[in-house]
Amino acid sequence: MKKHQILSPIATGNGAYIVHKTLGTEIPGYNVAGYNPSWTFFPFVLRGFAPIKYTRLIHTSPDYAIFSHRKKIPTILTFHNYVLDPWMRSYSSSLQRIHYATDLRLWSKMAIRRAHTITAVSNFTARLAKKDLNIHHPIRVIYNGIDTARFIPARSNTPRKELRVFFSGNLTRRKGAHWLHAIGKRLKKDVTIYFTQGLRTKKPLQTAKGLKAIGTIPFEQMADRYREMDILLLPTVREGLSLSVLEGMACGLPVIASDCSSLPEQIDHGKGGFLCPIGNVDSFAEKINLLANAPNLRREMGEYNRAKVEKMFTLKRMVNEYKDLFEEVLG
């Protein structure tokens, strides 16, 4: 592909941006135009933000895609997550609820009507978006993939006195961060939850019994952080397809996560970790304490997860599927 044939305007600071940046690194002619999320308060400025010259294809997410749309340039939309449905209102602020029910919903529908092709990062996300927005077009599922040469298990499994549980993500209600304190209180003495600040976190979470903050971690350092941990924890309420779960799996960690949305597509309950009812802090703590006393089970689950990532969620597979799609549309 020639230089700048594909333009990807996308907000920074989330998993979608990481996926699109990865495509920009791996696919010649794929140009990512990242913008500050605060620009979405004045989305009309996005109309003139990204350079359109030489662009033959636009690839972005549905929410603000209408402001990048051009009549003679086909658009591919990717649902990286879905939060417009009524069920998510309990985990959204008052302003978010109004925004999702009015303008964002309208803009998403407008973008979908003009899209050449629609994709989603999981079967769950595809089904939910299709039903909630009454989409009649087929939605093509392309799973996220990660670099299995960068995210690899630790070379040494030397036992530590402290068992480390890792929470990676923004400290929001959607990620279940408000349950971390309750989970931490129920853990055994030598078990600690290490949590990141996240790229979009505005209000920090206070440390307490069983919790330790490690701040904002640059993406380049994330693989090392996973290798310092024993278990990955994600008490989330909604995931399009979790990159942190894939990264933790690739690094050989068992995963304890919510039994919701796309997570059963990633985690095989009882084989690669455990899926717990949303918000059931007793269940999360019970499963963490169980694995704390079972180093062999942690190792077996970690090996199972690594093998699953190598089979289903590689960077090469994801890039090739997007390449095929782009070439179909441009062809």
Side-chain angles (χ1 to χ4, degrees):
M1 295 179 185
K2 295 180 180 178
K3 186 178 181 181
H4 301 339
Q5 279 196 328
I6 303 172
L7 177 67
S8 179
I10 196 88
T12 60
N14 56 26
Y17 178 73
I18 292 173
V19 171
H20 287 240
K21 282 293 288 183
T22 301
L23 295 176
T25 301
E26 299 292 327
I27 300 177
Y30 190 103
N31 180 36
V32 177
Y35 56 84
N36 192 300
S38 63
W39 288 22
T40 59
F41 291 114
F42 310 97
F44 295 97
V45 303
L46 300 175
R47 180 74 182 172
F49 162 68
I52 292 296
K53 190 176 182 181
Y54 305 121
T55 296
R56 293 182 58 205
L57 176 65
I58 294 173
H59 177 217
T60 186
S61 56
D63 40 12
Y64 298 99
I66 193 63
F67 300 102
S68 304
H69 176 73
R70 299 295 187 275
K71 280 187 177 181
K72 296 184 179 180
I73 302 176
T75 299
I76 295 175
L77 301 179
T78 295
F79 280 99
H80 292 276
N81 202 353
Y82 193 81
V83 296
L84 302 182
D85 57 307
W87 190 85
M88 284 299 294
R89 290 173 187 165
S90 299
Y91 301 97
S92 305
S93 67
S94 298
L95 289 177
Q96 285 175 328
R97 287 195 289 270
I98 296 170
H99 178 45
Y100 296 160
T102 56
D103 51 356
L104 195 62
R105 191 175 189 87
L106 173 63
W107 295 336
S108 297
K109 286 186 172 183
M110 291 172 66
I112 287 163
R113 286 198 296 268
R114 291 161 176 77
H116 181 285
T117 305
I118 304 173
T119 73
V121 297
S122 67
N123 289 299
F124 168 85
T125 304
R127 289 192 301 268
L128 179 58
K130 197 174 181 71
K131 178 181 178 181
D132 193 58
L133 293 176
N134 196 27
I135 299 172
H136 299 292
H137 310 297
I139 297 181
R140 187 165 173 167
V141 174
I142 300 179
Y143 279 138
N144 290 334
I146 52 118
D147 186 349
T148 52
R150 174 197 288 266
F151 293 95
I152 58 175
R155 294 179 181 177
S156 172
N157 289 320
T158 305
R160 289 183 288 263
K161 291 183 179 180
E162 173 194 57
L163 185 118
R164 298 179 177 182
V165 180
F166 192 31
F167 173 92
S168 173
N170 291 306
L171 298 173
T172 62
R173 286 176 58 83
R174 291 185 194 170
K175 293 291 183 181
H178 57 300
W179 289 312
L180 291 181
H181 278 139
I183 295 172
K185 289 178 181 178
R186 289 162 169 79
L187 299 181
K188 295 183 176 182
K189 182 180 179 181
D190 296 326
V191 180
T192 303
I193 298 174
Y194 286 74
F195 63 91
T196 63
Q197 179 78 8
L199 297 175
R200 288 190 175 184
T201 298
K202 295 180 180 179
K203 185 178 180 181
L205 187 70
Q206 298 298 316
T207 57
K209 180 183 181 297
L211 297 182
K212 185 172 183 179
I214 57 175
T216 301
I217 309 298
F219 178 72
E220 294 74 19
Q221 298 178 16
M222 282 301 298
D224 290 332
R225 298 292 82 76
Y226 286 113
R227 286 190 283 271
E228 295 170 353
M229 304 296 164
D230 301 293
I231 299 169
L232 183 67
L233 171 66
L234 188 62
T236 183
V237 301
R238 176 66 58 83
E239 293 293 319
L241 195 84
S242 172
L243 288 176
S244 65
V245 166
L246 294 183
E247 291 164 356
M249 290 171 65
C251 290
L253 296 183
V255 182
I256 299 175
S258 299
D259 188 6
C260 69
S261 57
S262 63
L263 288 164
E265 295 178 53
Q266 300 180 259
I267 304 157
D268 293 330
H269 181 74
K271 295 181 178 179
F274 297 107
L275 295 169
C276 303
I278 293 176
N280 190 327
V281 295
D282 288 328
S283 179
F284 279 102
E286 176 192 349
K287 294 300 187 293
I288 292 172
N289 288 330
L290 185 156
L291 288 180
N293 289 334
N296 290 336
L297 182 58
R298 294 201 305 270
R299 176 181 52 76
E300 291 169 6
M301 287 182 164
E303 290 173 352
Y304 181 92
N305 284 340
R306 173 69 188 186
K308 183 169 182 177
V309 169
E310 290 176 338
K311 181 180 179 181
M312 295 182 61
F313 301 111
T314 64
L315 175 63
K316 181 179 180 180
R317 189 268 316 148
M318 179 187 77
V319 169
N320 285 341
E321 290 187 26
Y322 276 111
K323 267 186 179 179
D324 290 344
L325 174 58
F326 298 152
E327 288 171 2
E328 286 175 24
V329 177
L330 290 172

